[in-house]
């Protein structure tokens, strides 16, 4: 299995971890493992053009494709396509609580079907040489967080899965919205710590509620890796400290301004391809969070980037509203 350093990763998030966000993330961290949004098997097998669902920039590596699906044959076919496209990992979504995916037996509802997940993992591993991993919850609805999670992990690990990223809260599929599922069920970090202690042979990563690199370091005392979601998107400067604090290497961005400037050629190329400026800059709205001028930066982009013909001048004007110097790197 390909040896990826998973110490820190950015969680797959629908509508957020697009190729444009991932290119931006690379101006802040070289080392973090990045994940795509969840892409369904149906989109890959029947959508056109395939570039729309699988396209990425070479700078995004290391990069994992997250798949949504439950049919072993379709997942295996999509995993092979992902490998051919150059992805470094394929991850199966067993954590998303949305009604739309439940109805298609995708996401967290698969926690109730460990044998089906195991069959999918077995088929995917037979189809590719890149890692096949699973992102799951500690349980769903009335499942027992100890017995049912243990059964799920044991069953899927027996099929050859060596890497599990576990969101440290249950998903309540009956009665809570996807939004409520992000906050209402309580986090249970100790359960994942016990999972790692029970399975030293597996790579166990933890996800859910992590907001600081100090918090990540604390978790890395108990598990193999950390995955950060909303905080990495809403406060992207957090990523600027990842390489230094978690990998002991200098990161690519000396300042927030430098990160924004580093993305400028990418924005220019995407605009030439026909992308709209607001689709690109929406991912940067939190870059200057807490800085003098940060609100002006955000407001200028929000009010102007969506206009017809908006180009680099709008981006440059927004940057000009934020004075230097800036606070030190994230810690």
């Amino acid at each position: 299995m390909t040896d990826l350093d998973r110490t820190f990763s950015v969680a797959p998030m629908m509508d957020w971890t697009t190729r444009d966000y991932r290119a931006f993330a690379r101006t802040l961290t070289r080392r973090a493992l990045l994940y795509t949004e969840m892409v369904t098997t149906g989109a890959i097998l029947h959508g056109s053009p395939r570039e729309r669902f699988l396209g990425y920039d070479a700078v995004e590596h290391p990069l994992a494709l997250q798949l949504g699906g439950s049919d072993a044959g379709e997942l295996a076919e999509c995993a092979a396509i992902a490998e051919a496209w150059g992805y470094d990992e394929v991850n199966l979504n067993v954590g998303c609580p949305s009604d739309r995916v439940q109805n298609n037996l995708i996401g967290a509802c698969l926690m109730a079907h460990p044998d089906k997940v195991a069959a999918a993992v077995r088929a995917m591993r037979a189809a590719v040489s890149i890692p096949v991993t699973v992102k799951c919850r500690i349980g769903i609805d009335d499942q027992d967080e100890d017995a049912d999670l243990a059964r799920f992990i044991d069953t899927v690990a027996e099929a050859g899965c060596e890497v599990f990223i576990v969101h440290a809260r249950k998903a309540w599929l009956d009665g809570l919205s996807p939004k409520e599922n992000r906050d209402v069920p309580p986090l249970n970090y100790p359960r994942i710590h016990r999972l790692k202690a029970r399975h030293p042979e597996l790579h166990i990563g933890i996800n859910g509620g992590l907001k600081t690199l100090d918090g990540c370091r604390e978790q890395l005392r108990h598990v193999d890796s950390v995955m950060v979601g909303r905080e990495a998107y809403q406060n992207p400067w957090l990523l600027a400290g990842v390489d230094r604090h978690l990998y002991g290497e200098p990161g690519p961005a000396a300042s927030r301004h430098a990160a924004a400037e580093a993305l400028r050629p990418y924005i220019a190329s995407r605009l030439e391809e026909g992308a709209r400026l607001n689709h690109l800059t929406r991912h940067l709205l939190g870059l200057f969070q807490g800085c003098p001028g940060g609100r002006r930066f955000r407001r200028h982009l929000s009010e102007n980037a969506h206009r017809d013909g908006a180009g680099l001048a709008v981006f440059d004007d927004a940057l000009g509203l934020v004075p230097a110097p800036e606070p030190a790197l994230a810690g």
Side-chain angles (χ1 to χ4, degrees), residues 62-74:
L63 178 63
L65 175 71
Q66 187 181 65
L67 288 175
S70 56
D71 181 276
E74 292 179 353

Side-chain angles (χ1 to χ4, degrees), residues 1-7 33 35 62-64 88-89 131 203:
M1 188 170 78
T2 306
D3 186 21
L4 284 177
D5 190 329
R6 311 167 185 284
T7 301
L33 175 60
Y35 282 77
L63 178 63
D88 301 301
E89 172 190 312
H203 179 108

Side-chain angles (χ1 to χ4, degrees), residues 13-14 28 40 45 48 53 69 103 108 117 124 148 153-154 162 171 184 206 229 234 237 247 263 295 316 324:
M13 293 175 282
M14 292 300 291
L28 300 165
T40 65
L45 296 176
S48 180
F53 305 102
N103 294 335
V117 176
M124 293 163 76
D148 288 312
I153 297 293
D154 289 348
E162 300 173 10
V184 173
I206 198 166
Q234 295 168 343
W237 188 241
Y247 294 89
L263 192 66
R295 288 184 180 177
D316 293 339

